[in-house]
Amino acid sequence: MTGMDLAFATIPELGAALRAGKVSAVELAQLCLARLERDGRRLNAVVTLTPEIALREAALADAELRNGLDRGPLHGIPYGMKDIVAVAGVPTSWGAAPFRDQVLAQEATVTKKLRGAGAVLVTKLATVELAGGMGYKNPAAAFTGPTANPWDEGCWTSGSSSGPGAAIAAGAVPFAIGSDTSGSILFPAAFTGVAGLRATYGRVSRHGAMTLCWTLDRLGPMARTAEDCGLVLDAIAGHDPADHASLREPYRYGGRARRKRGFRFGVIEGCCEGIEPEVQENFEATLDLLRQIGTLDSVELPDFPYGPMISTIVAAEAYAAFDDFIAAGGLAQLSSPLSAGHRLAASILPAHDYIRAQRIRHILASAFTGLAAGYDALLAPSLGVVATGLHDDFELGLPRALGRRPLNLAGVLTGSPTISVINGFGAKGLPTGIQFAGAPLSENVILDAASALEDMTDWASRRPPNFLAQCA
Amino acid sequence: MAETAEETGTAPRAWIYPALDAAEIAALNAKLAEVVALRHQGRLTAAQHADLVAAIETQTRHAEALHRVPLQNADEPAFVRAPLGDGR
C-alpha cells in the first residue's frame, strides 16, 4: 500500500497491513501526525497534536504484535479525540478560550478503553466551543477558528464534532471520537462524507467528557465506514460505574458476518420537505438502491413538538452545567457573540417547563420505540443541505434553518441509535448523508443496513481531490 | 345499593393550561428580559440584550407548544431517580 492508500484506508485494511508487516504502527502514527500538521492545522481541525503519546503507544503496539500480543482490530490504529474528552497530561480545551489551558486530572473512560484496545492517540480535535451548547450562529464559534471542509475549504464541516469530521475526510486519521447532544456527530458526518454513529444512550461512558446535557450527551465513533464505527464501538462500549447512565447490557459488533439483504426500512414521511434539491435527489436515488436489498414503507413519526422539547431540555441542562461560569460572566469570553445574550434566557426558564419537556419525552420514547421496533431502520436525509459557507451566519439560510429533520431529533430525544453514512455528492461535489435510525440497542442492525448500502456504491472510498498529496 | 366512585370510574376533570394572547406574551417577554438584565446588572451590551430578547421570545413560544400536549398527573419525566444511584 502507498502512503496515500494508508491515509484513506479502513480500520480492517490498516490492521491487515500491520499484521502482514507492510507497515508499522509507528509509521502509521508518523503518517497521521504529518498529515495533521500539514492539512489538519490548515483546516482548523487540530487543537493539540500528541506526538509523544502517539509514538510511545505506537512503539508499544509494534512490540506487542512482535511478541504475539494482539489486542484486536484497533491494535496500532491511530485516532483523534474530540477536545471535550480528557486525556492525561494533555490540555482539554472544550474548544473554548476560557478553558484552553485546562488539563484535567481524571482521564476519560473512553480514552482508557481505546488505549486498552491498542489504539494510538495522535491528536485532540476541534469542537465548537462547549460543544455548541451556549448557542452560536457562525462556524467561527471556537477558539481554534472555523473548521474547513476538505471537500471544499470555503465550506464548513458543521458541528460540533468539526475536527473529527474534517480530519477523517482529509485522510489525517482513520477514526475519531465525537460527541452528540442534538446532532453533533450526525451533522459533521453528513457534511464531510464520513460515517458517524450515535449509539444508544448509555452505550458509551461519558466519564471524563465535558457535560453539556446529562440526559442527552453521547460519545460515539466517526470513521470511514459503518463497519469501522462498529469496530470502534465494540472497543469503547460497556458499563462504567463512573457514569451512572451507562448501560449494563454488553455490546459486541457483529463484524463481517453481517446481514446483506432482507431489510425492512421505514421512510419518514415529509423528510424531504424544504430540503435542497441535490439532497433530495440523492436520497431518492438511495431509496432505489435500498429497494434491492429490502422493503420500503412510508411511515409517520409520532406528532410531538420536537424542536421545543429539545430546545427546552438543552437550555435548562446546559445552563445548569455551566451556571457558575455563566453567572461569573464567562459567556462574554467565548468566540460566539451570540452566546453572551442567548443562553442567559435559560436563567429564567421555569423548572416545570423543563420537566414538562421531559414528561413528553417519556411518552415520545414509548411511541418511537414502538415504531422503530417494526423496522430494521428508519430513513431520512442526515441534513437537508450540503455543506454551507465557512463564514456564513446561519440566519442566512443554513443547516438549522433549512430542511425538516425530526428523525434526528426523535433519535436524540429517545436515546436510540442512529448512523449517518455518505449517500452521494451534490452539484458542487459536496457530500450528502443518509441516516439509519433504529430501536434502542439495535446498533448492529443499523450498521448492517448502512454497510449493505456502502457495499453497493463507492461513495465511502472517494477522496477529496486536494488531499491526495503524499507527505514527505 | 349505590355504586362507589371506584366502581363508576369517575374521570378526572381535564385542566387545560391557559394560552396567552400576543399582547400578554409580549408583556411577559419584556418583563422576563428585565429580570435577566437586572440579575446581570447592566453587563449586557445592546447586541447581547437583543439576543437575549430573541431567546426569551423563542423560549416562551416553546413553552406554549409544550403546554398544548395533554399530560396526565402521573406522566413521569424521562429521567427516573435510581434508588441505588447506579442506573440500570
Side-chain angles (χ1 to χ4, degrees), chain B residues 36-80:
Chain B
V36 179
L38 273 174
R39 180 172 286 183
H40 292 272
Q41 300 180 0
R43 277 184 299 182
L44 294 178
T45 65
Q48 289 164 353
H49 191 266
D51 289 335
L52 167 66
V53 169
I56 286 174
E57 288 169 356
T58 301
Q59 205 161 276
T60 304
R61 192 169 63 249
H62 285 171
E64 282 298 302
L66 295 177
H67 285 288
R68 294 310 122 216
V69 179
L71 293 176
Q72 301 299 314
N73 165 254
D75 285 335
E76 64 182 14
F79 49 84
V80 178

Side-chain angles (χ1 to χ4, degrees), chain A residues 305-332:
Chain A
Y306 293 93
M309 289 166 70
I310 195 79
S311 177
T312 302
I313 293 168
V314 170
E317 295 193 24
Y319 190 98
F322 285 95
D323 58 357
D324 295 338
F325 172 75
I326 294 169
L331 292 177

Side-chain angles (χ1 to χ4, degrees), chain A residues 240-462:
Chain A
D240 177 11
D243 181 352
H244 293 173
S246 68
L247 297 173
R248 293 190 181 279
E249 284 82 354
Y251 173 76
R252 299 250 55 112
Y253 176 51
R256 299 299 297 182
R258 64 192 185 223
R259 183 153 59 116
K260 304 273 190 193
R261 55 198 318 109
F263 295 100
R264 185 164 185 193
F265 297 114
V267 183
I268 302 300
E269 277 183 19
C271 67
C272 288
E273 287 175 12
I275 71 174
E276 289 183 342
E278 54 201 307
V279 178
Q280 180 168 357
E281 192 175 312
N282 286 354
F283 182 68
E284 289 171 351
T286 302
L287 296 185
D288 287 339
L289 286 173
L290 293 176
R291 279 191 189 90
Q292 299 173 29
I293 58 169
T295 61
L296 272 67
D297 294 339
S298 181
V299 298
E300 194 170 348
L301 273 184
D303 185 23
F304 285 91
Y306 293 93
M309 289 166 70
I310 195 79
S311 177
T312 302
I313 293 168
V314 170
E317 295 193 24
Y319 190 98
F322 285 95
D323 58 357
D324 295 338
F325 172 75
I326 294 169
L331 292 177
Q333 298 175 41
L334 297 178
S335 302
S336 168
L338 174 70
S339 57
H342 172 83
R343 190 45 85 216
L344 289 181
S347 67
I348 43 88
L349 176 67
H352 69 88
D353 284 349
Y354 166 70
I355 292 172
R356 189 172 189 93
Q358 292 282 17
R359 294 171 71 197
I360 300 168
R361 183 181 177 188
H362 198 143
I363 299 170
L364 162 67
S366 297
F368 180 81
T369 300
L371 174 68
Y375 294 91
D376 291 309
L378 302 177
L379 308 175
S382 302
L383 264 176
V385 294
V386 295
T388 50
L390 190 60
H391 303 291
D392 292 349
D393 281 350
F394 303 143
E395 285 84 350
L396 298 177
L398 296 203
R400 290 161 197 279
L402 284 179
R404 187 174 161 196
R405 49 168 186 157
L407 180 58
N408 168 58
L409 292 185
V412 164
L413 287 162
T414 60
S416 50
T418 305
I419 185 167
S420 174
V421 294
I422 186 170
N423 73 331
F425 292 84
K428 295 179 181 173
L430 290 164
T432 60
I434 180 172
Q435 56 179 312
F436 294 75
L441 307 179
S442 70
E443 283 87 354
N444 282 350
V445 178
I446 60 172
L447 286 168
D448 282 352
S451 293
L453 174 63
E454 288 173 337
D455 288 348
M456 300 170 81
T457 74
D458 71 345
W459 296 317
S461 61
R462 296 203 191 170

Side-chain angles (χ1 to χ4, degrees), chain A residues 2-8 27-42 170-173 466-472:
Chain A
T2 66
M4 188 53 51
D5 291 335
L6 290 169
F8 288 94
E27 289 168 333
L28 278 183
Q30 289 170 330
L31 174 68
C32 288
L33 287 166
R35 293 182 70 88
L36 287 160
E37 184 67 49
R38 185 190 66 187
D39 300 328
R41 287 200 188 280
R42 187 179 77 252
V173 291
N466 292 342
F467 293 83
L468 301 182
Q470 300 275 3
C471 284

